[in-house]
Amino acid sequence: VMFVENLIFLFPSQVGGVCKLSTESSLRRCRTPDGKICSGRGKCNCGICICEAIEPGKFFGPRCECHDWVCATYNGKTCNGTCHCGSCMCDNEDNRGMVTGRFCECDDSECLDEETGEICGGHGQCYCGNCYCAAGWHGDKCEFQCDMSPWESRQRCTSPDGKICSNRGTCVCGECNCHDVDPSGDWGDIHGDTCECDERNCHATYDRYTDDFCSGHGQCNCGRCDCKEGWAGNKCEHPLSCSLSLESSLKKCRGTSNLPCFGRGQCQCGQCTCHPPGDSRVHGKNCECDDRQCEDISGEVCGGHGYCSCGRCICEEGWFGKLCQFPRSCDMSDAQSKELCETSDGVICSGKGSCHCGKCICNPQDWWVSGEYCECDDRECDKHDGIICTGNGLCNCGNCECWDGWNGNACEIWVGEEY
């Protein structure tokens, strides 16, 4: 009797094991908006989807539309909560709703004023653990009130070029807090009443290996180099004793690049010295070869399945890909492979790549597309001297992951041994 009752509960449209619905009515109840029956992952039984169990995940939901294992990852973790139907359900044990975000990565309890217990002191809005204060208030928790009008505050923070804090800082009650990108300096690389001085303009890319400004041959004044006698150039990089003109010297060092020595070395009188000194991975007449490009972030060369030649992987037989990371043979069916390449919205490789053996191969013509599901845009990574991650790290889903010895949003700060 209990078994019969359970069947009636699961299949209310059935009486005595016979479906009361027409075939069309049954299929209509099982059909998803894109026209698939049970999302293509189950069978329709009298208007009810019976989902198939396919490893490595399981399908569920009224139309088998949910599968936990495609939830997005953040900092190497799947959600920072519970994965449900391809979306992260944040764990809020205290029922205060403080954990938020697409990946449950935001902890809004950081916005709580310890004294009052209010969010941002009651004078602002909290977004992902950061307070955005209402006009007239400032401070980490919007705890300080400004004694001037917003108009007057903006006027005091406006730089000579008409930008607020030169777009390099934040205006707080008429004073600019400059975005100091170099923690080693007394005042940092960006300074001035309206953050108008950017000392980074006095550094050539190769200068990042030392504390020298202006190639060591001049004085940096508010982002401009005043060269010592005998030296010339925007960064005092050209000796006047050279038989070549500055432009001829730079042209000889550029080769096929827009930057002298491909941005990886020092050009002096038409000759390139590749940096960092002693690192044989950067080489070539114009420093055009950077074998660091053959390494993943763990330092493995060509995935262990090839060798590096002038910054490009030559793969062993049976392997392919930029880092020789894809095997040519595959031991899974096409259907199984595509299931592993699907994003939470059911699109293969975000519509920006092809699926091979359960892994996405992003369109090579769109160099900026990357990520496990081709969901990332590497154009969002920071640049220095026009080079993504300054050539000193890898762009990982919009953020630079720097190689050893490098720091900064664009891996532009050398913190290793000084040369």
Side-chain angles (χ1 to χ4, degrees), residues 132-179:
Y132 292 82
C133 304
W137 292 88
H138 62 99
D140 290 340
K141 307 285 177 64
C142 306
E143 67 270 36
F144 302 115
Q145 190 170 14
C146 186
D147 57 359
M148 66 178 67
S149 68
W151 180 86
E152 185 180 356
S153 175
R154 289 173 63 88
Q155 283 294 105
R156 292 192 181 189
C157 290
T158 302
S159 55
D161 58 2
K163 298 174 182 177
I164 301 298
C165 300
S166 306
N167 283 348
R168 302 187 188 112
T170 304
C171 182
V172 178
C173 202
E175 294 185 359
C176 285
N177 290 336
C178 303
H179 299 319

Side-chain angles (χ1 to χ4, degrees), residues 59 101 104 116 123 148 193 233 288 365 401:
F59 298 109
C104 303
T116 66
H123 307 297
M148 66 178 67
D193 290 341
E288 68 273 16
Q365 60 267 34
E401 293 188 1

Side-chain angles (χ1 to χ4, degrees), residues 36-330:
K36 293 182 180 179
I37 301 300
C38 300
S39 305
R41 302 174 182 131
K43 296 179 180 179
C44 185
N45 188 330
C46 198
I48 301 292
C49 285
I50 309 299
C51 304
E52 298 174 354
I54 300 178
E55 295 297 332
K58 60 183 179 180
F59 298 109
F60 58 97
R63 295 179 179 84
C64 306
E65 72 275 21
C66 303
H67 44 137
D68 278 350
W69 49 274
V70 297
C71 267
T73 58
Y74 182 78
N75 282 344
K77 296 180 181 178
T78 301
C79 297
N80 266 328
T82 304
C83 183
H84 177 74
C85 198
S87 298
C88 292
M89 306 292 289
C90 302
D91 295 333
N92 281 289
E93 297 178 358
D94 54 5
N95 295 320
R96 299 175 68 184
M98 289 294 176
V99 181
T100 61
R102 179 186 172 193
F103 310 102
C104 303
E105 75 277 17
C106 301
D107 185 1
D108 288 350
S109 64
E110 296 177 10
C111 292
L112 287 174
D113 188 305
E114 294 178 1
E115 293 184 5
T116 66
E118 291 185 279
I119 297 279
C120 302
H123 307 297
Q125 298 289 326
C126 182
Y127 297 99
C128 203
N130 294 296
C131 282
Y132 292 82
C133 304
W137 292 88
H138 62 99
D140 290 340
K141 307 285 177 64
C142 306
E143 67 270 36
F144 302 115
Q145 190 170 14
C146 186
D147 57 359
M148 66 178 67
S149 68
W151 180 86
E152 185 180 356
S153 175
R154 289 173 63 88
Q155 283 294 105
R156 292 192 181 189
C157 290
T158 302
S159 55
D161 58 2
K163 298 174 182 177
I164 301 298
C165 300
S166 306
N167 283 348
R168 302 187 188 112
T170 304
C171 182
V172 178
C173 202
E175 294 185 359
C176 285
N177 290 336
C178 303
H179 299 319
D180 184 358
V181 298
D182 190 348
S184 64
D186 291 334
W187 63 62
D189 281 356
I190 298 174
H191 60 98
D193 290 341
T194 56
C195 308
E196 70 276 13
C197 300
D198 188 349
E199 305 298 333
R200 295 177 300 177
N201 294 334
C202 292
H203 274 303
T205 303
Y206 63 84
D207 278 333
R208 285 293 171 181
Y209 299 92
T210 74
D211 289 331
D212 287 338
F213 287 107
C214 306
S215 310
H217 307 300
Q219 179 70 39
C220 184
N221 293 316
C222 197
R224 299 188 66 178
C225 284
D226 294 331
C227 301
K228 295 178 181 177
E229 187 176 350
W231 294 88
N234 290 336
K235 297 172 183 178
C236 307
E237 71 274 28
H238 184 67
L240 294 178
S241 59
C242 176
S243 59
L244 299 174
S245 67
L246 172 60
E247 184 51 42
S248 297
S249 173
L250 293 175
K251 184 177 180 180
K252 194 172 181 182
C253 287
R254 284 191 191 104
T256 57
S257 172
N258 293 325
L259 289 172
C261 307
F262 280 71
R264 304 181 187 122
Q266 179 182 7
C267 176
Q268 198 166 101
C269 202
Q271 298 290 321
C272 286
T273 302
C274 303
H275 286 268
D279 191 341
S280 60
R281 292 176 299 176
V282 182
H283 57 97
K285 180 182 177 182
N286 299 113
C287 308
E288 68 273 16
C289 297
D290 186 356
D291 291 348
R292 297 174 299 181
Q293 302 297 326
C294 293
E295 300 177 5
D296 60 23
I297 200 64
S298 66
E300 188 173 36
V301 176
C302 300
H305 305 295
Y307 65 92
C308 189
S309 176
C310 195
R312 305 186 102 182
C313 283
I314 308 298
C315 301
E316 297 172 354
E317 187 175 350
W319 294 87
F320 71 102
K322 183 180 178 182
L323 296 176
C324 305
Q325 71 270 43
F326 300 114
R328 292 195 181 276
S329 60
C330 184

